Amino acid sequence: MKIFGLQDGHFLVNHYWIAGSVIVFPNRYFMWNVVDPSEIKPHTLEVMNFVKPRPDYLIIGTGETTVNLAPEFYEHFKRMGMTVDTCPTFEACSTFNMCIEDRYNVACALLRP
């Protein structure tokens, strides 16, 4: 999978326009029912418990700006063996694409900017 663009609240993932927030993995994507960074909680990313292999790195695109989440959020995923970074959505898309090219086991959760 690769994220080729974003426009008007849509993401272009592997040549398909997806409306709204999305979680992208190297081989699949899922719609994400989160609209605002304040809604990002561990339970909104439960899919990480079921995807095999579990990603080592999770990039969260928080919209127009970087939003730091509660320390407990990062600790939750650290216990699962995952590193989590938050950044603006546009930057998250670019970082995800670079990680995919380098064959990292990565996931990207994107809020529309």
Side-chain angles (χ1 to χ4, degrees):
M1 294 274 157
K2 204 163 186 182
I3 304 164
F4 289 96
L6 54 117
Q7 180 179 341
D8 298 327
H10 293 73
F11 295 95
L12 183 58
V13 178
N14 273 22
H15 308 292
Y16 293 98
W17 284 104
I18 302 165
S21 301
V22 65
I23 302 174
V24 184
F25 295 91
N27 298 314
R28 64 191 76 119
Y29 65 88
F30 298 95
M31 301 303 297
W32 191 30
N33 193 22
V34 172
V35 178
D36 188 78
S38 65
E39 298 175 38
I40 302 172
K41 308 288 184 211
H43 74 273
T44 65
L45 291 161
E46 282 281 318
V47 69
M48 299 301 163
N49 291 319
F50 304 105
V51 172
K52 302 294 181 210
R54 181 182 292 155
D56 300 316
Y57 182 36
L58 172 61
I59 308 158
I60 301 177
T62 56
E64 293 287 331
T65 61
T66 300
V67 175
N68 290 315
L69 305 172
E72 300 82 28
F73 180 89
Y74 299 99
E75 283 300 316
H76 173 82
F77 288 98
K78 186 176 181 179
R79 284 191 301 272
M80 293 172 58
M82 295 174 62
T83 302
V84 177
D85 283 331
T86 58
C87 57
T89 296
F90 185 80
E91 184 180 325
C93 293
S94 298
T95 303
F96 176 80
N97 287 339
M98 286 189 301
C99 289
I100 289 295
E101 287 177 12
D102 291 338
R103 300 193 187 280
Y104 289 139
N105 185 14
V106 63
C108 189
L110 302 169
L111 294 180
R112 60 187 206 180

